[in-house]
Amino acid sequence: MRVLIAPDAFKGALTAREAAAAVARGLPEDWDVDLCPLSDGGEGFLDVFEDAEHHLVPTEDAYGAPIRAAYGLGDGFAAIEVARVIGLYLNRARDPLRASTGGLAPLVSAAVAPGRTTFIGLGGSATVDGGLGLLRGLGGAFFDAHGREVTSPAALVDVVRADVSPSFDGDVVALVDVDQRLLGAAEVFGPQKGADTAAVSRLERGLLRWAEVLDPDGRHRDVPGAGAAGGLGFALSCLGARLVPGAEAILERVAFLGRARRAGLVFTGEGRFDAQTAQGKLVAAVAAEARRANTPCIALAGEVAGAAASVPGLDAVFSLAPGPCRRGDAMAATAERLAQVAAAVAATWNAAARSPGGDGGLGSSAIGRL
């Protein structure tokens, strides 16, 4: 039995690589395991590039605290995970009126080069600055009506003039996990990053002003994904980056379809399976590719709040929760429960295969808790 294990990260509990390893621990020793940790651009993005050598760069997080962050470098490509530099969970502060994308500039400067494709995963940021910090870090300067330099997201509403940095001298692909345009990004993402009603209003007005100054003809503000990472996608588009759906790009890069065709079963998973899963999230993309490969696909989730039938290609969804429990306790036991549930699924699969006329399988659209 060959099994492809392709989970997303279980946010706050396990990286995708850790989750894949936990599932593998629960499977029978005679099952052939193909580990395929995935990301659509958020946490764990750099782990997908297993053939990349990591290079540490001194920089700062979204609130200016000094850190050392890694980017990946391989044969003809580089990879940057935004969440490792300006991630929401790197700093306890929650103030998008101050949070800056500036810490990305040293990594971008090191990674982008002629003849190389640089992949930037945009998920998980703490910022809603429209890419102001990154553009300043790359040499841009922005001013208000009094000639004072604009340096923070709170002051974007005052921008009247821009001396922007040059376009990228190299191929840059920004992987986005949302199709949000620039305008509206503060309203959608601001609250989860700590913005109250007043802050959301100021940030939204700032992004509008930012677009009017940097993008008067509207070429970049309406690109799907321009609002990703609080408008960082917009700034990258202005510099010449291509914005692409993260799940599709990653599945293509890891040759997922071919690997699924060689497997008899696909495991995927995420922290919460809900109505949003079907709306372009990684698990849905995995299920769709498994369906193309004609390979059964099972999802394991920390929490299940929806129906597997809503995700084409997904044959079953199993919650890790053994019953009512505290969220913190459940998250702490994620690795253990992944192994346990995977073992139960494998036992059911083998039992079905041994039954008269059985060929394995859990049935269509089975939702349950093991």
Side-chain angles (χ1 to χ4, degrees):
M1 179 68 173
R2 183 174 181 82
V3 181
L4 178 60
I5 306 177
D8 197 353
F10 284 65
K11 292 182 180 179
L14 299 176
T15 66
R17 181 174 293 176
E18 291 168 341
V23 172
R25 286 195 295 271
L27 300 180
E29 292 184 359
D30 60 343
W31 282 24
D32 184 13
V33 172
D34 180 7
L35 298 183
C36 184
L38 297 174
S39 168
D40 55 8
E43 294 176 46
F45 175 72
L46 195 54
D47 290 340
V48 173
F49 296 82
E50 297 182 306
D51 52 341
E53 179 181 347
H54 288 196
H55 295 260
L56 284 172
V57 175
T59 185
E60 59 186 34
D61 71 11
Y63 294 95
I67 60 171
R68 289 170 63 83
Y71 73 94
L73 192 60
D75 185 13
F77 74 90
I80 298 172
E81 181 182 321
V82 163
R84 291 192 179 215
V85 187
I86 56 169
L88 183 62
Y89 297 103
L90 293 182
N91 194 305
R92 292 183 180 180
R94 295 289 187 274
D95 184 4
L97 288 172
R98 294 192 298 115
S100 171
T101 53
L104 292 170
L107 283 80
V108 169
S109 295
V112 177
R116 176 189 299 162
T117 296
T118 299
F119 299 94
I120 305 178
L122 299 194
S125 85
T127 56
V128 190
D129 77 343
L132 167 68
L134 172 63
L135 294 182
R136 292 186 66 242
L138 295 177
F142 309 92
F143 304 91
D144 65 16
H146 303 286
R148 296 174 299 205
E149 190 169 0
V150 171
T151 61
S152 75
L156 281 176
V157 293
D158 300 320
V159 172
V160 297
R161 180 167 65 88
D163 294 334
V164 296
S165 48
S167 297
F168 288 129
D169 188 13
D171 183 30
V172 177
V173 179
L175 282 72
V176 299
D177 58 356
V178 296
D179 60 6
Q180 175 67 48
R181 275 62 169 174
L182 177 66
L183 302 182
E187 182 177 349
V188 172
F189 304 120
Q192 70 190 46
K193 302 179 183 187
D196 60 18
T197 302
V200 166
S201 176
R202 187 173 184 86
L203 288 167
E204 197 61 54
R205 287 185 287 116
L207 292 179
L208 174 59
R209 186 64 186 150
W210 188 231
E212 290 171 345
V213 174
L214 262 64
D215 185 34
D217 59 3
R219 290 178 51 219
H220 302 288
R221 72 183 76 175
D222 290 327
V223 172
L232 177 60
F234 168 73
L236 290 171
S237 180
C238 288
L239 292 173
R242 293 179 284 127
L243 274 56
V244 303
E248 295 176 14
I250 289 300
L251 291 177
E252 180 179 354
R253 173 165 179 78
V254 302
F256 183 88
L257 182 60
R259 293 163 75 171
R261 284 173 172 158
R262 294 190 293 273
L265 176 65
V266 173
F267 277 101
T268 188
E270 61 183 349
R272 177 181 169 87
F273 182 97
D274 57 23
Q276 294 185 23
T277 300
Q279 299 173 5
K281 290 180 68 176
L282 184 60
V283 166
V286 168
E289 287 295 276
R291 188 182 193 183
R292 287 182 63 196
N294 199 30
T295 304
C297 183
I298 294 170
L300 310 180
E303 181 180 359
V304 176
S310 65
V311 179
L314 200 55
D315 293 281
V317 180
F318 295 105
S319 170
L320 302 185
C325 60
R326 294 180 178 177
R327 185 179 183 87
D329 293 340
M331 293 181 68
T334 299
E336 178 184 0
R337 285 295 296 162
L338 277 171
Q340 291 172 349
V341 176
V345 170
T348 302
W349 187 279
N350 282 338
R354 289 192 295 268
S355 65
D359 60 356
L362 296 175
S364 175
S365 298
I367 297 183
R369 180 180 291 118
L370 296 183

